[in-house]
Amino acid sequence: MRPAFSVLFLTTLIGAGQGLLIAMVTGQIFVTLGGGPEVSGGFFAGGGLLALILLGLGLVASMFHLANPQRGWRAASRWRTSWLSREVILIPLLCGLVLLYALAHLLSLREVSLVLGLLSLLVCLALFVCTGMIYACVRFIRQWASAWTVVNYLMMGLASGFTLAAGYAGLAGSALAGFLTAAALALTLAALAARLTQLWLNARGTARSCMKTAIGTHHTQIRQITQGFMGQSFNTQEFFTPGGAEAIRGLTLLFILAGFVAPLGLIVLGVPVVAFVIQFVGLMAERWVFFAAGEHVQNLYYQAKA
Amino acid sequence: MPKKQLALVIDLNVCVGCHACVTSCKEWNTSGWAGPLSDVNPYGADPTGVFFNRVQTFECGTFPDTETIHFPKSCLHCEEPPCVPVCPTGASYKREADGIVLVDYDKCIGCKYCSWSCPYGAREFDPGQGVMKKCTLCVDRIYDMTLPEDRRKPACVLACPSSARIFGDINDPNSDTSKAIRDNGGFQLMPEWGTRPSNHYLPRRKTTMTVHRDELVRVDNPLKVEGELPRPAFTTPTIDGASSW
Ligand code: SF4
Ligand code: SF4
């Protein structure tokens, strides 16, 4: 599939935003349960607002993906059947909750903020599931159609969000820095493991359809002479990857290094802000590879020009 | 009786790959009230454009034992269309009345998500209008009462010079389409996905005849002399005793 930059930005930005918010809320729970020293409400409010900015930027990026964004509101109508529709509903809902969460902290309403925090935590998790399922439910791309897609969207969002939270806590001199740094390390490691698992599984999988079923002819040797036109079409542009296998291999190496290995080292070295920036670039590359490596069944019909 | 499901049956045994259906489809659908099927850079070096129907060509076997298959491909108006439920706006829908799968161009936001959920690559995005497009089975002409009845068919069906395209209700056992599917081994594309395409294809069929050796040699010519037989006399007795000529 051709990676669309609007979607790469959308998914990585809101992923980091959700991860950051979850980091804030779990931090608050950690403190409330007596696991750490008192942390000011301003710290959580700031984190919430930062998450809100990321979510907002993601929303802006998503608008660039639509050819008719002025009708975007219609996308909320089919939540019964469409994961995309569910995502469209949850993002603004989450934005609203995060805003209230930050406000509650600013007004020092501790109990209210905890309730709002828990609510937004649930919505964050649901949103991760929706975003992942948008891709995981596309049966015709075998590289996407598995639970690992959802797991990876969740884990990478958490990893980048907690790394950002660790950086923010360090800058703000918050007492939570230690807790968040440890969590960022653990989550980045777990995300790497999950992503490597999916890479491994995808390399071993086999396609379900072949030329035989595509044109319904029971012959062992079928090749396309022509796809029916000499130029391009939506089918040859949207479903094929510029750069091909070589670009995918190169960027896979890049995202493993920049998205996971380097951030791990940089967090250990105590520069989590730099770690986040590099990790974000790495995760953009990861998303690019995720799209580019998806082989759609329809490609069987577009193999030759004559 | 099951619900009405309009569809095409395409006979791969007859299709000659002339692309008449492709051009007539483009002409009809680009001239309609729903707006043009945009072309980008049509006379330039790298043209693209929206088509509802494409004719592809495949080859089976290795030379010289090959067989060429011309393969027209358009939306199959699946009975379980995976492209419909994923649409977030409801722009993509399947009509209750006749089973045609359509896109409402006034609702579509151009997210392209539906095209990912079609295994056949039947949907093509129109960059001009920013909406997803696909075969409508010429819904704007098959119900047009101002046309004579035999012209109320999809443009591709009317254009096909070899009558490789049959149009009708596949759920009506007496329709031409149902009979063709039943009698000629009609099949669906990629049945493994459970999409239950309504459009069917008829397979390539070999027409053969066995000729025995004695059918090539005249048995009433024992001397193997070719030419007009000698005409017997009028009175010569014959097998049926009626006449000798
Ligand atoms: S052929 Fe594709 S676009 Fe047409 S109904 Fe089936 S899945 Fe949908
Ligand atoms: S491109 Fe249009 S028809 Fe297709 S899923 Fe998006 S809104 Fe629905």
Side-chain angles (χ1 to χ4, degrees), chain B residues 75-78 81-83 101 117-120 122-123 134:
Chain B
C75 170
L76 308 170
H77 299 280
C78 302
C83 54
V101 176
S117 279
C118 168
Y120 309 103
R123 293 176 166 246
K134 59 178 277 304

Side-chain angles (χ1 to χ4, degrees), chain A residues 38-142:
Chain A
E38 263 314 294
V39 177
S40 78
F43 172 73
F44 295 117
L49 290 176
L50 195 54
L52 189 61
I53 293 173
L54 289 172
L55 289 168
L57 286 177
L59 262 184
V60 172
S62 75
M63 287 299 150
F64 283 99
H65 185 65
L66 302 184
N68 279 302
Q70 77 281 6
R71 307 177 191 145
W73 59 271
R74 285 188 185 276
S77 65
R78 289 302 148 122
W79 52 272
R80 279 193 202 81
T81 60
S82 173
W83 286 104
L84 182 50
S85 189
R86 291 171 196 155
E87 184 190 49
V88 165
I89 294 172
L90 285 191
I91 294 179
L93 179 68
L94 182 60
C95 288
L97 276 175
V98 178
L99 191 64
L100 291 179
Y101 172 74
L103 272 180
H105 270 300
L106 283 179
L107 300 175
S108 305
L109 303 168
R110 269 280 150 121
E111 283 74 33
V112 180
S113 75
L114 194 59
V115 172
L116 284 169
L118 287 173
L119 260 181
S120 29
L121 183 107
L122 287 180
V123 175
C124 273
L125 291 177
L127 182 53
F128 272 126
V129 173
C130 288
T131 312
M133 279 307 290
I134 288 176
Y135 304 96
C137 78
V138 181
R139 291 185 288 153
F140 310 114
I141 302 173
R142 67 172 177 85

Side-chain angles (χ1 to χ4, degrees), chain A residues 190-271:
Chain A
L192 175 62
R195 188 62 176 102
L196 289 180
T197 309
Q198 193 183 26
L199 279 180
W200 181 68
L201 287 174
N202 282 349
R204 289 158 47 97
T206 48
R208 182 144 167 216
S209 293
C210 59
M211 286 319 302
K212 261 195 215 179
T213 60
I215 66 167
T217 300
H218 298 285
H219 204 291
T220 46
Q221 272 176 301
I222 306 174
R223 70 184 182 101
Q224 188 171 52
I225 302 289
T226 171
Q227 59 190 8
F229 50 97
M230 301 289 286
Q232 298 282 330
S233 78
F234 174 70
N235 308 76
T236 62
Q237 289 167 334
E238 174 83 355
F239 296 86
F240 289 86
T241 310
E246 215 161 287
I248 294 177
R249 265 200 304 279
L251 282 171
T252 303
L253 194 63
L254 177 80
F255 89 65
I256 292 175
L257 291 179
F260 303 98
V261 179
L264 281 172
L266 289 166
I267 296 173
V268 172
L269 287 178
V271 276

